[in-house]
Amino acid sequence: MKKTTILLAMLSVSVLAGCANTNKTASVKSDQGFRCEKQSSLGTTIPSKLCSTKKQRDEAREASKEALRQSQSGILTEQVTGRN
């Protein structure tokens, strides 16, 4: 009987400690705009999990816009000068 009580008390403490830890990490993640998404890769049907912060997503968006601008300006230059 005493062993069961001790075991139940230890189990309760570990469950409560796990719940307390989850709340702290969730608040940190939400402050940074942390988000995970499933992303499918070419050649596989199994999606992978991609996690990023808001800052990382904004930087990737700006880099994509800049790459598009550079590729479009290169095409326009080739058309004007007649180079291939």
Side-chain angles (χ1 to χ4, degrees):
M1 183 75 156
K2 188 174 181 180
K3 290 181 182 180
T4 306
T5 305
I6 292 173
L7 182 61
L8 185 59
M10 290 174 59
L11 181 63
S12 299
V13 169
S14 63
V15 168
L16 291 175
C19 292
N21 191 12
T22 304
N23 291 337
K24 290 178 184 176
T25 57
S27 65
V28 169
K29 289 179 181 179
S30 66
D31 290 344
Q32 296 176 354
F34 193 80
R35 181 173 42 185
C36 292
E37 299 172 345
K38 289 188 176 184
Q39 187 177 34
S40 297
S41 298
L42 186 62
T44 182
T45 57
I46 302 171
S48 60
K49 189 174 182 181
L50 177 68
C51 298
S52 61
T53 62
K54 183 172 180 356
K55 182 179 177 183
Q56 289 171 330
R57 290 188 302 273
D58 290 342
E59 289 173 354
R61 188 177 301 114
E62 289 302 317
S64 297
K65 286 180 183 179
E66 183 61 29
L68 180 62
R69 276 190 218 107
Q70 288 179 356
S71 68
Q72 287 176 341
S73 68
I75 292 171
L76 292 175
T77 304
E78 289 175 6
Q79 289 175 351
V80 170
T81 60
R83 293 184 304 170
N84 284 335

Coordinates of all heavy atoms in Angstrom, one line a residue:
M1 N 0.8 -1.2 0.0 CA 0.0 0.0 0.0 C 0.9 1.3 0.0 O 0.6 2.2 -0.7 CB -0.9 0.0 1.2 CG -1.9 1.1 1.3 SD -3.1 0.8 0.1 CE -4.4 1.8 0.8
K2 N 1.9 1.2 0.8 CA 2.8 2.4 0.9 C 3.6 2.6 -0.4 O 3.8 3.7 -0.9 CB 3.8 2.2 2.1 CG 4.6 3.4 2.4 CD 5.4 3.2 3.6 CE 6.3 4.4 3.9 NZ 7.1 4.3 5.1
K3 N 4.0 1.5 -1.0 CA 4.7 1.6 -2.3 C 3.8 2.2 -3.4 O 4.3 3.0 -4.2 CB 5.2 0.2 -2.7 CG 6.3 -0.3 -1.9 CD 6.8 -1.7 -2.4 CE 7.9 -2.2 -1.5 NZ 8.3 -3.5 -2.0
T4 N 2.6 1.8 -3.4 CA 1.6 2.3 -4.4 C 1.4 3.8 -4.2 O 1.4 4.6 -5.2 CB 0.3 1.6 -4.3 OG1 0.5 0.2 -4.3 CG2 -0.7 2.0 -5.4
T5 N 1.3 4.3 -3.0 CA 1.2 5.7 -2.7 C 2.4 6.5 -3.2 O 2.2 7.6 -3.8 CB 0.9 5.9 -1.2 OG1 -0.2 5.1 -0.8 CG2 0.6 7.4 -0.9
I6 N 3.6 6.0 -2.9 CA 4.8 6.7 -3.3 C 4.9 6.7 -4.8 O 5.2 7.7 -5.4 CB 6.0 6.0 -2.7 CG1 6.0 6.2 -1.2 CG2 7.3 6.5 -3.3 CD1 7.1 5.4 -0.5
L7 N 4.6 5.6 -5.5 CA 4.6 5.5 -7.0 C 3.6 6.5 -7.6 O 3.9 7.2 -8.5 CB 4.3 4.1 -7.4 CG 4.3 3.8 -8.9 CD1 5.7 4.2 -9.5 CD2 3.9 2.4 -9.2
L8 N 2.4 6.6 -7.0 CA 1.4 7.5 -7.5 C 1.8 9.0 -7.3 O 1.6 9.8 -8.2 CB 0.1 7.3 -6.8 CG -1.1 8.1 -7.3 CD1 -1.4 7.8 -8.7 CD2 -2.4 7.7 -6.5
A9 N 2.5 9.3 -6.2 CA 3.0 10.6 -5.9 C 4.1 11.0 -6.9 O 4.1 12.1 -7.4 CB 3.5 10.7 -4.5
M10 N 5.0 10.1 -7.2 CA 6.0 10.3 -8.1 C 5.5 10.6 -9.6 O 5.9 11.4 -10.3 CB 7.1 9.2 -8.1 CG 7.9 9.1 -6.9 SD 8.9 7.7 -6.7 CE 10.0 7.9 -8.2
L11 N 4.5 9.8 -9.9 CA 3.9 9.9 -11.2 C 3.2 11.3 -11.4 O 3.3 12.0 -12.4 CB 2.9 8.8 -11.5 CG 2.2 8.8 -12.8 CD1 3.2 8.6 -13.9 CD2 1.1 7.7 -12.8
S12 N 2.5 11.7 -10.3 CA 1.8 13.0 -10.3 C 2.8 14.1 -10.4 O 2.5 15.1 -11.2 CB 1.0 13.2 -9.0 OG 0.0 12.2 -8.9
V13 N 3.9 14.1 -9.7 CA 4.9 15.1 -9.8 C 5.5 15.2 -11.2 O 5.7 16.3 -11.8 CB 6.0 14.9 -8.7 CG1 7.2 15.8 -9.0 CG2 5.4 15.1 -7.4
S14 N 5.8 14.1 -11.8 CA 6.4 14.1 -13.2 C 5.4 14.6 -14.2 O 5.8 15.4 -15.1 CB 6.9 12.7 -13.6 OG 5.8 11.8 -13.6
V15 N 4.1 14.3 -14.1 CA 3.1 14.8 -15.0 C 3.0 16.4 -14.8 O 2.9 17.1 -15.8 CB 1.8 14.1 -14.8 CG1 0.6 14.8 -15.5 CG2 1.8 12.7 -15.2
L16 N 2.9 16.8 -13.6 CA 2.8 18.3 -13.4 C 4.0 19.0 -13.8 O 3.9 20.1 -14.4 CB 2.5 18.5 -11.9 CG 1.1 18.1 -11.4 CD1 1.0 18.3 -9.9 CD2 0.0 18.8 -12.1
A17 N 5.2 18.5 -13.7 CA 6.4 19.1 -14.1 C 6.4 19.2 -15.7 O 6.8 20.2 -16.2 CB 7.6 18.3 -13.6
G18 N 5.9 18.2 -16.3 CA 5.9 18.2 -17.8 C 4.9 19.3 -18.3 O 5.2 20.0 -19.3
C19 N 3.8 19.4 -17.6 CA 2.8 20.5 -18.0 C 3.3 21.9 -17.8 O 3.1 22.8 -18.6 CB 1.5 20.3 -17.2 SG 0.6 18.8 -17.7
A20 N 4.0 22.1 -16.7 CA 4.6 23.4 -16.4 C 5.6 23.8 -17.5 O 5.7 24.9 -17.9 CB 5.2 23.4 -15.0
N21 N 6.5 22.9 -17.9 CA 7.5 23.1 -18.8 C 6.9 23.5 -20.2 O 7.4 24.3 -20.9 CB 8.4 21.9 -18.9 CG 9.7 22.2 -19.7 OD1 10.0 23.3 -20.0 ND2 10.4 21.1 -20.1
T22 N 5.8 22.8 -20.6 CA 5.2 23.0 -21.9 C 4.7 24.5 -22.0 O 4.8 25.1 -23.1 CB 4.1 22.0 -22.2 OG1 4.6 20.7 -22.0 CG2 3.5 22.2 -23.5
N23 N 4.1 25.0 -21.0 CA 3.6 26.3 -21.1 C 4.7 27.4 -21.3 O 4.5 28.3 -22.0 CB 2.8 26.7 -19.8 CG 1.5 25.8 -19.7 OD1 1.0 25.4 -20.7 ND2 1.1 25.6 -18.4
K24 N 5.8 27.2 -20.7 CA 6.9 28.2 -20.8 C 7.4 28.2 -22.3 O 7.6 29.2 -22.9 CB 8.0 27.9 -19.8 CG 7.7 28.2 -18.4 CD 8.8 27.8 -17.5 CE 8.4 28.0 -16.0 NZ 9.5 27.6 -15.1
T25 N 7.6 27.0 -22.8 CA 8.2 26.9 -24.2 C 7.2 27.4 -25.2 O 7.5 28.0 -26.2 CB 8.6 25.5 -24.5 OG1 7.5 24.6 -24.4 CG2 9.8 25.1 -23.7
A26 N 5.9 27.2 -24.9 CA 4.8 27.7 -25.9 C 4.8 29.2 -25.9 O 4.6 29.8 -27.0 CB 3.5 27.1 -25.5
S27 N 5.0 29.8 -24.7 CA 4.9 31.3 -24.7 C 6.1 31.9 -25.4 O 6.0 32.9 -26.1 CB 4.8 31.8 -23.3 OG 6.0 31.5 -22.6
V28 N 7.3 31.3 -25.3 CA 8.5 31.7 -26.0 C 8.3 31.6 -27.5 O 8.6 32.5 -28.2 CB 9.7 31.0 -25.5 CG1 10.9 31.2 -26.4 CG2 10.1 31.3 -24.0
K29 N 7.8 30.4 -27.9 CA 7.6 30.2 -29.3 C 6.6 31.2 -29.9 O 6.8 31.7 -31.0 CB 7.1 28.8 -29.6 CG 8.2 27.7 -29.3 CD 7.6 26.4 -29.5 CE 8.7 25.3 -29.3 NZ 8.2 24.0 -29.5
S30 N 5.5 31.5 -29.2 CA 4.5 32.4 -29.7 C 5.1 33.9 -29.8 O 4.7 34.6 -30.6 CB 3.2 32.4 -28.9 OG 3.5 32.8 -27.6
D31 N 5.9 34.2 -28.9 CA 6.5 35.6 -28.9 C 7.4 35.8 -30.1 O 7.5 36.9 -30.6 CB 7.4 35.8 -27.6 CG 6.6 35.9 -26.4 OD1 5.4 36.1 -26.5 OD2 7.1 35.8 -25.3
Q32 N 8.1 34.7 -30.6 CA 8.9 34.8 -31.7 C 8.2 34.5 -33.0 O 8.8 34.6 -34.1 CB 10.1 33.8 -31.6 CG 11.0 34.2 -30.4 CD 12.1 33.1 -30.3 OE1 12.1 32.1 -30.9 NE2 13.0 33.4 -29.3
G33 N 6.9 34.2 -33.0 CA 6.2 33.9 -34.2 C 6.6 32.5 -34.7 O 6.6 32.3 -35.9
F34 N 6.9 31.6 -33.9 CA 7.3 30.2 -34.2 C 6.2 29.5 -34.9 O 5.1 29.5 -34.3 CB 7.9 29.5 -33.0 CG 8.6 28.3 -33.3 CD1 9.9 28.3 -33.7 CD2 8.0 27.0 -33.2 CE1 10.6 27.2 -34.0 CE2 8.7 25.9 -33.5 CZ 10.0 25.9 -33.9
R35 N 6.4 28.8 -36.0 CA 5.4 28.1 -36.7 C 6.0 26.9 -37.4 O 7.1 27.0 -38.0 CB 4.6 29.0 -37.7 CG 3.5 28.3 -38.4 CD 2.7 29.2 -39.2 NE 3.5 30.1 -40.0 CZ 3.0 31.1 -40.7 NH1 1.7 31.2 -40.8 NH2 3.7 31.9 -41.4
C36 N 5.3 25.8 -37.4 CA 5.7 24.6 -38.1 C 4.7 24.2 -39.1 O 3.5 24.3 -38.9 CB 5.9 23.4 -37.1 SG 7.2 23.5 -36.0
E37 N 5.2 23.8 -40.3 CA 4.3 23.5 -41.4 C 4.8 22.2 -42.0 O 6.0 21.9 -42.0 CB 4.3 24.6 -42.5 CG 3.9 25.9 -42.0 CD 4.1 27.0 -43.0 OE1 4.8 26.8 -44.0 OE2 3.5 28.1 -42.9
K38 N 3.9 21.4 -42.6 CA 4.3 20.2 -43.3 C 4.5 20.6 -44.8 O 3.7 21.3 -45.4 CB 3.2 19.2 -43.3 CG 3.1 18.5 -41.9 CD 2.2 17.4 -41.9 CE 2.2 16.7 -40.5 NZ 1.3 15.5 -40.5
Q39 N 5.6 20.2 -45.3 CA 6.0 20.6 -46.7 C 6.4 19.3 -47.5 O 7.2 18.5 -47.0 CB 7.3 21.5 -46.6 CG 7.7 22.1 -47.9 CD 8.8 23.0 -47.7 OE1 9.7 22.8 -46.9 NE2 8.9 24.1 -48.5
S40 N 5.8 19.2 -48.6 CA 6.1 18.0 -49.5 C 7.3 18.3 -50.4 O 7.4 19.4 -50.9 CB 4.9 17.7 -50.4 OG 3.8 17.4 -49.6
S41 N 8.1 17.4 -50.5 CA 9.3 17.5 -51.4 C 9.1 16.8 -52.7 O 8.3 15.8 -52.7 CB 10.5 16.9 -50.7 OG 10.8 17.6 -49.5
L42 N 9.7 17.2 -53.7 CA 9.6 16.6 -55.0 C 10.2 15.2 -55.0 O 11.3 15.0 -54.5 CB 10.3 17.4 -56.1 CG 10.2 17.0 -57.5 CD1 8.7 17.1 -57.9 CD2 11.0 17.9 -58.4
G43 N 9.5 14.2 -55.4 CA 10.0 12.9 -55.5 C 9.6 12.0 -54.3 O 10.0 10.8 -54.2
T44 N 8.9 12.5 -53.4 CA 8.4 11.7 -52.2 C 7.0 12.1 -51.8 O 6.6 13.2 -52.0 CB 9.4 11.9 -51.0 OG1 8.9 11.1 -49.9 CG2 9.4 13.4 -50.5
T45 N 6.3 11.2 -51.3 CA 4.9 11.4 -50.9 C 4.9 11.7 -49.3 O 3.8 12.0 -48.8 CB 4.0 10.2 -51.2 OG1 4.5 9.1 -50.6 CG2 3.9 10.0 -52.7
I46 N 6.0 11.5 -48.7 CA 6.0 11.8 -47.2 C 6.4 13.2 -47.0 O 7.5 13.7 -47.3 CB 7.1 10.8 -46.6 CG1 6.7 9.4 -46.9 CG2 7.1 11.1 -45.1 CD1 7.8 8.4 -46.5
P47 N 5.5 14.0 -46.4 CA 5.8 15.4 -46.1 C 6.8 15.5 -44.9 O 6.9 14.6 -44.1 CB 4.5 16.0 -45.7 CG 3.7 14.8 -45.2 CD 4.2 13.6 -46.0
S48 N 7.6 16.5 -45.0 CA 8.6 16.8 -43.9 C 8.1 18.0 -43.1 O 7.3 18.8 -43.6 CB 10.0 17.1 -44.4 OG 9.9 18.2 -45.3
K49 N 8.5 18.1 -41.9 CA 8.1 19.2 -41.0 C 9.1 20.3 -41.1 O 10.3 20.1 -40.9 CB 8.0 18.7 -39.6 CG 7.4 19.6 -38.6 CD 7.2 18.9 -37.3 CE 6.5 19.8 -36.3 NZ 6.3 19.1 -35.0
L50 N 8.7 21.5 -41.4 CA 9.6 22.7 -41.5 C 9.1 23.7 -40.5 O 8.0 24.2 -40.5 CB 9.5 23.3 -42.9 CG 10.3 24.5 -43.1 CD1 11.8 24.2 -43.1 CD2 10.0 25.1 -44.5
C51 N 10.0 24.0 -39.5 CA 9.7 25.0 -38.5 C 10.5 26.2 -38.7 O 11.7 26.2 -39.0 CB 10.0 24.4 -37.1 SG 8.9 23.0 -36.7
S52 N 10.0 27.4 -38.4 CA 10.7 28.7 -38.6 C 10.0 29.8 -37.7 O 8.9 29.6 -37.3 CB 10.7 29.1 -40.0 OG 9.3 29.3 -40.5
T53 N 10.8 30.8 -37.5 CA 10.3 32.0 -36.8 C 9.8 33.0 -37.8 O 10.1 32.9 -39.0 CB 11.4 32.6 -35.9 OG1 12.4 33.1 -36.8 CG2 12.0 31.7 -34.9
K54 N 9.1 34.0 -37.3 CA 8.5 35.0 -38.2 C 9.7 35.8 -38.9 O 9.6 36.1 -40.1 CB 7.7 36.0 -37.5 CG 7.1 37.1 -38.3 CD 6.1 37.9 -37.6 CE 5.4 39.0 -38.3 NZ 5.8 39.3 -39.7
K55 N 10.8 36.0 -38.2 CA 11.9 36.7 -38.8 C 12.5 35.9 -39.9 O 12.9 36.4 -41.0 CB 13.0 37.0 -37.7 CG 14.2 37.7 -38.2 CD 15.2 38.0 -37.1 CE 16.4 38.7 -37.6 NZ 17.4 38.9 -36.6
Q56 N 12.7 34.6 -39.7 CA 13.2 33.7 -40.8 C 12.3 33.7 -42.0 O 12.8 33.7 -43.1 CB 13.4 32.3 -40.2 CG 14.5 32.2 -39.2 CD 14.5 30.8 -38.6 OE1 13.5 30.1 -38.4 NE2 15.7 30.4 -38.2
R57 N 11.0 33.7 -41.8 CA 10.1 33.6 -42.9 C 10.1 35.0 -43.7 O 10.1 35.0 -44.9 CB 8.7 33.4 -42.5 CG 8.4 31.9 -42.0 CD 7.0 31.6 -41.7 NE 6.4 32.5 -40.7 CZ 6.4 32.3 -39.4 NH1 7.0 31.2 -38.9 NH2 5.8 33.1 -38.6
D58 N 10.2 36.1 -43.0 CA 10.3 37.4 -43.6 C 11.6 37.5 -44.4 O 11.6 38.0 -45.5 CB 10.3 38.5 -42.6 CG 8.9 38.7 -41.9 OD1 7.9 38.1 -42.5 OD2 8.8 39.3 -40.9
E59 N 12.7 37.0 -43.9 CA 14.0 37.1 -44.6 C 14.0 36.2 -45.8 O 14.5 36.6 -46.9 CB 15.2 36.6 -43.7 CG 15.5 37.6 -42.6 CD 16.5 37.1 -41.6 OE1 16.9 35.9 -41.6 OE2 16.9 37.9 -40.7
A60 N 13.4 35.1 -45.8 CA 13.3 34.2 -46.9 C 12.4 34.8 -48.0 O 12.7 34.8 -49.2 CB 12.7 32.8 -46.5
R61 N 11.3 35.5 -47.6 CA 10.4 36.2 -48.5 C 11.1 37.3 -49.3 O 11.0 37.4 -50.5 CB 9.2 36.7 -47.8 CG 8.1 37.3 -48.7 CD 6.9 37.7 -47.9 NE 6.3 36.6 -47.1 CZ 6.3 36.6 -45.8 NH1 6.8 37.6 -45.1 NH2 5.7 35.6 -45.2
E62 N 11.9 38.1 -48.5 CA 12.7 39.2 -49.1 C 13.8 38.7 -50.1 O 14.0 39.2 -51.1 CB 13.3 40.1 -48.1 CG 12.3 40.9 -47.3 CD 11.5 41.8 -48.2 OE1 12.0 42.5 -49.1 OE2 10.2 41.9 -48.0
A63 N 14.4 37.6 -49.7 CA 15.4 37.0 -50.6 C 14.8 36.5 -51.9 O 15.4 36.6 -52.9 CB 16.2 35.9 -49.8
S64 N 13.6 35.9 -51.8 CA 12.9 35.4 -53.0 C 12.5 36.6 -53.9 O 12.7 36.5 -55.1 CB 11.7 34.6 -52.6 OG 12.0 33.5 -51.8
K65 N 12.1 37.7 -53.3 CA 11.7 38.8 -54.1 C 12.9 39.4 -54.8 O 12.8 39.8 -56.0 CB 11.1 39.9 -53.2 CG 9.7 39.6 -52.8 CD 9.1 40.7 -51.9 CE 7.7 40.4 -51.4 NZ 7.2 41.5 -50.5
E66 N 14.0 39.5 -54.1 CA 15.3 40.0 -54.7 C 15.8 39.1 -55.8 O 16.2 39.6 -56.9 CB 16.3 40.2 -53.6 CG 17.6 40.8 -54.1 CD 17.4 42.2 -54.7 OE1 16.5 42.9 -54.3 OE2 18.2 42.6 -55.6
A67 N 15.7 37.8 -55.6 CA 16.1 36.9 -56.7 C 15.2 37.0 -57.9 O 15.7 37.0 -59.1 CB 16.1 35.5 -56.2
L68 N 13.9 37.2 -57.7 CA 13.0 37.4 -58.8 C 13.3 38.7 -59.6 O 13.4 38.7 -60.8 CB 11.6 37.4 -58.3 CG 10.5 37.6 -59.4 CD1 10.5 36.5 -60.4 CD2 9.1 37.7 -58.7
R69 N 13.6 39.8 -58.8 CA 14.0 41.0 -59.4 C 15.2 40.9 -60.3 O 15.3 41.4 -61.4 CB 14.2 42.1 -58.4 CG 12.9 42.8 -57.9 CD 13.3 44.0 -57.0 NE 12.3 44.1 -56.0 CZ 12.5 43.7 -54.7 NH1 13.7 43.4 -54.3 NH2 11.5 43.8 -53.8
Q70 N 16.2 40.2 -59.7 CA 17.5 40.1 -60.5 C 17.3 39.2 -61.7 O 17.9 39.5 -62.8 CB 18.6 39.5 -59.6 CG 19.1 40.4 -58.5 CD 20.1 39.8 -57.6 OE1 20.4 38.6 -57.7 NE2 20.7 40.5 -56.7
S71 N 16.5 38.2 -61.6 CA 16.3 37.3 -62.8 C 15.5 38.1 -63.9 O 15.8 37.9 -65.0 CB 15.6 36.0 -62.4 OG 14.3 36.3 -62.0
Q72 N 14.6 38.9 -63.5 CA 13.8 39.6 -64.4 C 14.6 40.7 -65.1 O 14.5 41.0 -66.3 CB 12.5 40.2 -63.8 CG 11.5 39.2 -63.5 CD 10.3 39.7 -62.7 OE1 10.4 40.8 -62.2 NE2 9.2 39.0 -62.8
S73 N 15.5 41.4 -64.3 CA 16.3 42.4 -64.9 C 17.3 41.8 -65.9 O 17.6 42.4 -66.9 CB 17.0 43.2 -63.8 OG 18.0 42.5 -63.2
G74 N 17.8 40.6 -65.6 CA 18.7 39.9 -66.5 C 18.0 39.6 -67.8 O 18.6 39.7 -68.9
I75 N 16.7 39.2 -67.8 CA 16.0 38.9 -69.0 C 15.8 40.1 -69.8 O 15.9 40.1 -71.0 CB 14.6 38.2 -68.6 CG1 14.9 36.8 -68.0 CG2 13.7 38.1 -69.9 CD1 13.7 36.2 -67.4
L76 N 15.4 41.2 -69.2 CA 15.2 42.5 -69.9 C 16.4 43.0 -70.5 O 16.4 43.5 -71.7 CB 14.6 43.5 -68.9 CG 13.2 43.3 -68.4 CD1 12.8 44.3 -67.4 CD2 12.2 43.2 -69.5
T77 N 17.6 42.8 -69.9 CA 18.8 43.3 -70.4 C 19.2 42.5 -71.7 O 19.6 43.0 -72.7 CB 20.0 43.1 -69.4 OG1 19.6 43.8 -68.2 CG2 21.3 43.6 -69.9
E78 N 18.9 41.1 -71.7 CA 19.2 40.3 -72.8 C 18.3 40.7 -74.0 O 18.8 40.7 -75.1 CB 19.0 38.8 -72.4 CG 20.1 38.3 -71.5 CD 19.8 36.8 -71.1 OE1 18.8 36.3 -71.6 OE2 20.5 36.3 -70.2
Q79 N 17.1 41.0 -73.7 CA 16.1 41.4 -74.8 C 16.5 42.7 -75.4 O 16.4 42.8 -76.7 CB 14.7 41.4 -74.3 CG 14.1 40.1 -73.9 CD 12.7 40.2 -73.3 OE1 12.3 41.3 -73.0 NE2 12.1 39.0 -73.1
V80 N 17.0 43.6 -74.7 CA 17.3 45.0 -75.2 C 18.6 44.9 -76.0 O 18.7 45.4 -77.1 CB 17.4 46.0 -74.0 CG1 18.0 47.3 -74.5 CG2 16.1 46.2 -73.4
T81 N 19.6 44.2 -75.5 CA 20.9 44.1 -76.2 C 20.9 43.0 -77.3 O 21.8 43.0 -78.1 CB 22.0 43.8 -75.2 OG1 21.7 42.5 -74.6 CG2 22.2 44.9 -74.1
G82 N 20.0 42.1 -77.3 CA 19.9 41.1 -78.3 C 20.8 39.9 -78.0 O 21.0 39.1 -78.9
R83 N 21.3 39.8 -76.8 CA 22.2 38.7 -76.4 C 21.3 37.5 -76.0 O 20.2 37.7 -75.5 CB 23.1 39.0 -75.3 CG 24.2 40.0 -75.6 CD 25.1 40.3 -74.5 NE 24.3 40.7 -73.3 CZ 24.9 40.8 -72.1 NH1 26.1 40.4 -71.9 NH2 24.1 41.1 -71.1
N84 N 21.8 36.3 -76.1 CA 21.1 35.1 -75.6 C 21.8 34.6 -74.4 O 22.8 34.4 -74.1 CB 21.1 34.0 -76.7 CG 20.0 34.4 -77.8 OD1 19.1 35.1 -77.5 ND2 20.2 33.8 -78.9

